[in-house]
Amino acid sequence: MQKAALLIARWSGARRGEVIRLRLDCLDQYPDGTFRLRIHAGKTMRERLVPLHDDAARVLREVIQRRLEANDRPIRDDKTGDLVRYVFFRRSGRMSADYLLQYPLNQMCRLAGLVDQDGKPIVTSHRFRHTVGTQLAERGAKLHTIMSVLGHQTPHMSMVYARISDAEVLRDYRSVLGPGEMIAGPGAEAIRAGKLSCAAIDWLKSNFIKTELELGHCLRLPSEGPCECDLYLSCAKFVTTKAYAGRLQERRKLELVLAEDARERGWSKEVERHQSTASRIERLLKDLGEEADP
């Protein structure tokens, strides 16, 4: 039981309270076979589905199978009011987070010497959430993905993990603002000409991850107010890099498909709009040294 709980916490980023409330129907699979963990209403009172590592899924499946063979009756969940059967349950009731997570962690900390000057363990189960969030950020996950996995209601908490991964943010920052980098878009000229103010550069260094768009970055500063231009491909603040070449290619293909569809329907203005967008993307690709896909 404890091994399963620890592996779930490690690979899902679930909160302590969410782990102990997992139900017997919490494990299934995505269409591609990846295991999926169903985390029922927790701190945010919203159910969410997150991918689960095979190591955790295999152990969890064994626990679920043993629990299904037991004959205990469902009990009423104190948060939702539903009659449920929990994964981590014994005759006296639902197992505690301390028993499942913190007690075994304390033991491992002492064996590994991970204790403070008073001999107290320095690792808690909440560290697993930070690990999952940081790994997602460092491997390029979008903020909404981190929010979905960790169950955050606002992006502010997820931004913590983006800031933790300084090396990744710095690499992304340098790909746009570093000297000699290949960039394209209306905002590229301001960078090449050194027209960005010191204040603008300082803000971008600290908040660069917030500038990301689907196909590049927006260099608009908070003092300039919200962007009023949806067609950001032609916005003076837009800049993109070779890292977005694949997305640019896909977007161009989509625009061409939409243009053809509009042509068949006789919508001349829509044809012009989609072809114009495709042409802008082709110019961006050319500036990046990329050829548009046939």
Side-chain angles (χ1 to χ4, degrees), residues 142-159:
K142 305 303 180 189
L143 279 179
H144 68 81
T145 300
I146 300 175
M147 289 175 63
S148 297
V149 171
L150 298 183
H152 291 154
Q153 288 183 302
T154 67
H156 301 298
M157 282 302 299
S158 299
M159 281 298 298

Side-chain angles (χ1 to χ4, degrees), residues 86-257:
Y86 295 110
V87 173
F88 301 110
F89 186 84
R90 52 189 172 189
R91 290 185 179 181
S92 58
R94 195 174 59 215
M95 296 181 183
S96 71
D98 283 340
Y99 171 77
L100 288 170
L101 299 167
Q102 201 54 53
Y103 291 165
L105 269 179
N106 289 349
Q107 184 178 12
M108 286 185 279
C109 283
R110 293 189 180 98
L111 290 173
L114 297 174
V115 294
D116 61 18
Q117 59 184 9
D118 297 322
K120 295 181 179 179
I122 60 175
V123 178
T124 68
S125 57
H126 195 73
R127 181 73 64 87
F128 294 136
R129 278 178 64 77
H130 294 313
T131 299
V132 172
T134 302
Q135 287 181 329
L136 286 170
E138 289 180 344
R139 294 174 186 179
K142 305 303 180 189
L143 279 179
H144 68 81
T145 300
I146 300 175
M147 289 175 63
S148 297
V149 171
L150 298 183
H152 291 154
Q153 288 183 302
T154 67
H156 301 298
M157 282 302 299
S158 299
M159 281 298 298
V160 170
Y161 302 107
R163 294 190 185 101
I164 288 173
S165 55
D166 289 336
E168 294 298 316
V169 176
L170 180 61
R171 185 179 66 183
D172 201 13
Y173 169 83
R174 285 175 174 168
S175 72
V176 173
L177 298 179
E181 292 295 336
M182 185 169 287
I183 54 178
E189 183 57 35
I191 296 172
R192 294 193 190 99
K195 295 180 180 178
L196 291 180
S197 67
C198 292
I201 293 175
D202 287 342
W203 185 87
L204 289 168
K205 283 181 178 178
S206 301
N207 301 275
F208 191 70
I209 195 168
K210 298 179 183 178
T211 70
E212 186 168 21
L213 302 171
E214 176 196 3
L215 303 176
H217 291 266
C218 175
L219 303 185
R220 194 177 183 89
L221 304 178
S223 59
E224 298 176 273
C227 184
E228 299 175 355
C229 180
D230 291 331
L231 300 177
Y232 60 78
L233 289 173
S234 59
C235 176
K237 298 293 182 178
F238 176 71
V239 64
T240 192
T241 71
K242 291 176 75 70
Y244 293 88
R247 295 187 193 178
L248 288 164
Q249 297 280 15
E250 291 302 316
R251 176 65 179 273
R252 173 181 169 273
K253 292 177 183 178
L254 175 61
E255 293 296 334
L256 292 175
V257 170

Side-chain angles (χ1 to χ4, degrees), residues 1-15 19 22 27 37 39 50-63 88 100-102 104-105 108 125 128-129 131-132 135:
M1 290 286 194
Q2 291 171 321
K3 179 180 179 180
L6 287 168
L7 284 172
I8 291 167
R10 164 61 185 92
W11 289 112
S12 71
R15 301 176 178 90
V19 172
L22 289 175
L27 184 66
L37 184 68
I39 300 176
V50 300
L52 189 64
H53 193 281
D54 287 357
D55 290 347
R58 282 193 291 268
V59 177
L60 174 58
R61 189 161 53 183
E62 293 174 1
V63 174
F88 301 110
L100 288 170
L101 299 167
Q102 201 54 53
L105 269 179
M108 286 185 279
S125 57
F128 294 136
R129 278 178 64 77
T131 299
V132 172
Q135 287 181 329

